[in-house]
Amino acid sequence: MGAGLSERSAQPEYRIEDLAHHSGATVRTIRAYQDRGLLPRPERRGRSNVYGDAHLARLRQIADLLERGYTLASIKELLDAWDTGRGLGGVLGLVAEVQGPWTDERADRISREELDARFGGTPDEDAVREAVELGVLERLPGGGTEEYLVPSPQELAVAAELHAAGVPLTAITGHLRELRDQVEHIATRFLEFTTEHVFARYLEHRPPTDADAAEAATMVRRLRPLAQQTVDAELARAMRLLATRHLQLHLSPEPPPAKGEVTRPVPLPMETVRAVQGLVGAEGVAAFVTAATDRELAKRTLDTLAARHREGDGTDQTA
C-alpha cells in the first residue's frame, strides 16, 4: 500500500512500517503508544491496518514533547486536552518560552590546545573533568582534535582571569559550586514569588487552557529580564557596600579577624524562614537560627563525651 494516495480518500495512507520510517519511531514504539492511548487506533482494511497523516502528526508531537522533558503520562494529559478542544498550541508556546534562552550570550567552541593556553599552558585533566561535570565545558564528539562547547564564554573568561591572578583552579570550581547553590536559591524564590502573584491565575487548570497558556507565555517574555536586572542591581549595591567595608577592615591598624570569625550568608528553605518568623518575628530569625545551631552543636558534643565515657567504663570493667 505504501505512502500512496488511497482510492477512497485523497489523503496519504501508511502501513505501520511506513509510518515508522516517516516518523523516526520504531514499530514497537508505535504499538506501545497505541496501547497507552497516545495514538489513535488505525483504520482496519481487510487484513491491514491503515494509518494517516493525523497519526504521523501525533507521533511528531509526542517526539517534540519528549525532547522538551515531558513524561508520557504528562503528554497524554496534554494530548487529551487537545483532543477535547482545549488546544495545545498555547501550551507548547509557553513551554518554548520557558525553555528558551534566558541570556543573549552565545555559546562558543574551544579546542583543547586553546583551553590549555588560556589556563597557563599546562594540561590539567582533573580541572577539565570538573569543568565538564559543572557544565562549564561540554565535550564535542568526533573530529581529529579535542574540542569543547562553551555554553557561557563569559563564565570561562572569568575563570581564566581569576587563574591568571593567582587563584588555583580547585578554588575556582569550589567557589562556582557554592555560588551556583546560592543563585539557584535566588531563582527558586523568584519563581515562587512570580508564580504566587502573577502566574497562579493562568495555571489554575491542568493543563491550562490554550488562551491562558498563550497569555502566560507573553507574561514570561515580559518578566524574563527582570530576574537578572534585579540580581545585577542588588549585587552592585552589595559589592559597593561590602567591598568598602572590606577595604576599611584591611586598611585598619587593627589586625583583620581570623578566617573562622568571618560571617557569610547561608540560604535557608523559605518554609523554615517562615516557621521561625512565626515564632520570633522577622528581626529574630538570625539570632534564633544561631542559637538553635549552637544548641545542636553543644548537644552533639555532650553526646560524644558521654559515649566516650561509656566506652571507657566498658574497657575498665573488662580489664
Side-chain angles (χ1 to χ4, degrees):
M1 185 179 301
L5 291 176
S6 167
E7 295 178 358
R8 297 175 58 184
S9 68
Q11 298 298 322
E13 294 181 349
Y14 309 92
R15 297 173 302 178
I16 192 169
E17 293 82 4
D18 299 321
L19 185 65
H21 172 73
H22 285 282
S23 67
T26 65
V27 170
R28 183 176 179 180
T29 297
I30 292 173
R31 288 179 174 143
Y33 288 167
Q34 287 178 183
D35 293 340
R36 296 179 71 115
L38 291 164
L39 195 67
R41 291 285 176 181
E43 183 180 346
R44 190 75 176 174
R45 298 271 182 81
R47 296 183 178 180
S48 301
N49 288 325
V50 178
Y51 298 84
D53 273 349
H55 295 90
L56 181 58
R58 175 58 57 89
L59 286 172
R60 288 172 175 166
Q61 283 178 336
I62 294 171
D64 181 59
L65 289 168
L66 286 172
E67 287 183 3
R68 296 173 188 268
Y70 280 83
T71 64
L72 288 177
S74 299
I75 291 173
K76 188 172 188 314
E77 288 184 11
L78 291 171
L79 294 178
D80 287 346
W82 171 272
D83 291 337
T84 55
R86 280 187 282 163
L88 188 59
V91 173
L92 294 181
L94 175 59
V95 171
E97 197 65 50
V98 170
Q99 293 185 343
W102 286 73
T103 174
D104 294 332
E105 189 177 14
R106 293 182 177 272
D108 200 358
R109 291 184 173 217
I110 190 170
S111 68
R112 178 57 188 270
E113 184 179 357
E114 293 170 329
L115 182 65
D116 291 340
R118 290 187 68 177
F119 287 87
T122 303
D124 190 329
E125 298 299 331
D126 290 338
V128 171
R129 182 166 54 253
E130 193 160 12
V132 171
E133 288 178 5
L134 287 167
V136 176
L137 299 173
E138 296 179 11
R139 298 185 191 275
L140 292 174
T145 59
E146 189 177 352
E147 273 196 317
Y148 297 89
L149 179 72
V150 186
S152 174
Q154 292 179 4
E155 192 170 51
L156 187 66
V158 169
E161 287 293 332
L162 289 172
H163 185 259
V167 183
L169 288 174
T170 53
I172 294 173
T173 54
H175 178 70
L176 177 58
R177 290 182 189 276
E178 181 181 350
L179 179 64
R180 185 167 291 180
D181 287 342
Q182 295 171 350
V183 170
E184 287 178 359
H185 175 73
I186 293 172
T188 298
R189 287 294 302 118
F190 189 82
L191 288 172
E192 290 173 350
F193 174 79
T194 53
T195 298
E196 179 182 356
H197 296 286
V198 179
F199 292 105
R201 60 182 178 271
Y202 302 118
L203 305 176
E204 292 176 346
H205 306 96
R206 292 179 58 87
T209 65
D210 200 46
D212 281 347
E215 193 169 348
T218 301
M219 192 61 67
V220 170
R221 203 155 42 245
R222 286 177 53 191
L223 299 183
R224 185 194 300 273
L226 297 188
Q228 184 169 351
Q229 290 171 5
T230 302
V231 171
D232 285 348
E234 285 301 309
L235 180 61
R237 182 200 63 79
M239 287 298 295
R240 182 174 63 252
L241 175 66
L242 298 179
T244 300
R245 290 181 185 172
H246 202 66
L247 181 61
Q248 291 172 347
L249 181 66
H250 286 272
L251 293 180
S252 170
E254 298 295 327
K259 187 175 181 180
E261 297 176 3
V262 178
T263 62
R264 66 180 179 89
V266 176
L268 293 173
M270 201 58 213
E271 295 79 4
T272 302
V273 174
R274 290 195 184 108
V276 174
Q277 284 180 346
L279 291 172
V280 299
E283 68 284 352
V285 170
F288 184 92
V289 171
T290 301
T293 303
D294 290 341
R295 185 171 66 179
E296 178 64 22
L297 291 174
K299 179 180 178 300
R300 293 192 181 196
T301 301
L302 292 173
D303 290 344
T304 301
L305 291 172
R308 287 177 181 172
H309 177 69
R310 286 194 297 271
E311 290 174 2
D313 285 350
T315 303
D316 292 340
Q317 290 172 3
T318 57

